[in-house]
Amino acid sequence: MAGHSKFANIKHKKEKNDAARGRVFTRLGREIAMAVKHGGGPDPDANSRLRDAISKAKAENMSNDTIERSIKKAAGDIGAVNFDSATYEGYGPGGVAVIVKVLTDNRTRTAANVRHAFTKGGGSLGTQGCVSFSFSEIGQILIEANPDINEEELMLMALDAGAEDFLVQEEGYEIHTSVASFSNVRQAIEDAGVPMVSAEVTMLPQTWVTLTTPEELKQMGKMLDLLDEDDDVQDVYHNWEDS
């Protein structure tokens, strides 16, 4: 991971205009709705998936009132929450591996939009599993460096809660967990009052690809922009070394 700054990527994502922020909140609302429907109801104390979704929403500066409204709406319309999840895989310019996860109420529309983004970005949509083998699904928690944080205490707390790896970087700390232990580790850090830059289950590339030509860089940016503008797209993972 030398030279790859997840911290820089997160900060870049948060520096968005109002329209982009609106799309982020739309996606978070869908994630909260799905957590209510499939995670065990509207009580976060009894629904770890919902707790994680709420934490993610707060990290994106979604207000408590908006979060509460999303939960109540999902609980009241639980039978109407009909989003399907789907995953698309393919290649971007220069052989960059790309995974796109969606929540959609119209698979035909979404598949066409995702294929369009790949094509316009100089890539190609592939078959299921064509690139996912080169990613690891993990829990990832980022904590910005802070003189008030005791590094050793934080590491021990994370490991005691079930973390698998604790990485010290120039910008702060990166904690890896299994998918199963992610919620416990995130909750332990939150209970300790330690602010998190981000906390999510993600797909971590095992190798990285560098794009060198202006055309490849332009195409990759175009693909990511088109995917980001699609409300159905929840997450995009890639192994482009873009820092």
Side-chain angles (χ1 to χ4, degrees), residues 89-91 95-99 129-137 203-209 237-239:
E89 301 180 32
Y91 295 93
V96 172
V98 182
I99 298 175
C130 68
V131 301
S132 57
F133 68 90
S134 62
F135 291 73
S136 299
E137 188 175 27
M203 302 292 290
L204 186 69
Q206 297 172 9
T207 59
W208 299 92
V209 172
Y237 309 105
H238 58 77
N239 66 345

Side-chain angles (χ1 to χ4, degrees), residues 129-200:
C130 68
V131 301
S132 57
F133 68 90
S134 62
F135 291 73
S136 299
E137 188 175 27
I138 66 166
Q140 183 184 61
I141 299 170
L142 300 180
I143 298 170
E144 199 162 19
N146 186 322
D148 294 331
I149 294 176
N150 183 300
E151 181 179 308
E152 184 175 355
E153 288 181 359
L154 177 62
M155 179 179 67
L156 291 175
M157 177 177 60
L159 294 175
D160 285 344
E164 296 184 342
D165 205 357
F166 185 92
L167 307 175
V168 180
Q169 300 183 1
E170 182 178 349
E171 302 96 328
Y173 310 102
E174 181 173 348
I175 299 168
H176 292 177
T177 78
S178 68
V179 175
S181 64
F182 167 72
S183 186
N184 285 340
V185 177
R186 184 202 58 73
Q187 189 66 53
I189 294 172
E190 183 177 295
D191 290 345
V194 178
M196 292 169 277
V197 176
S198 71
E200 61 184 350

Side-chain angles (χ1 to χ4, degrees), residues 13-115:
K13 286 180 180 179
K14 291 187 176 182
E15 294 171 355
K16 295 185 174 183
N17 58 36
D18 291 342
R21 297 293 299 164
R23 289 194 295 272
V24 169
F25 285 177
T26 296
R27 291 164 186 159
L28 290 169
R30 289 189 182 186
E31 191 166 336
I32 288 171
M34 293 296 285
V36 170
K37 183 174 182 180
H38 298 292
D43 181 5
D45 290 335
N47 185 340
S48 63
R49 180 172 173 179
L50 179 57
R51 287 200 303 273
D52 293 340
I54 291 171
S55 178
K56 187 174 180 180
K58 287 181 177 180
E60 290 290 348
N61 298 318
M62 180 181 277
S63 70
N64 289 332
D65 287 345
T66 302
I67 291 171
E68 285 297 321
R69 285 197 301 271
S70 297
I71 294 172
K72 289 178 180 178
K73 184 177 187 304
D77 298 338
I78 196 163
V81 180
N82 293 317
F83 294 116
D84 291 324
S85 60
T87 301
Y88 300 91
E89 301 180 32
Y91 295 93
V96 172
V98 182
I99 298 175
V100 181
K101 292 194 173 185
V102 306
L103 284 176
T104 179
D105 58 358
N106 187 324
R107 280 180 176 250
T108 301
R109 177 196 66 220
T110 303
N113 288 345
V114 171
R115 185 178 299 277

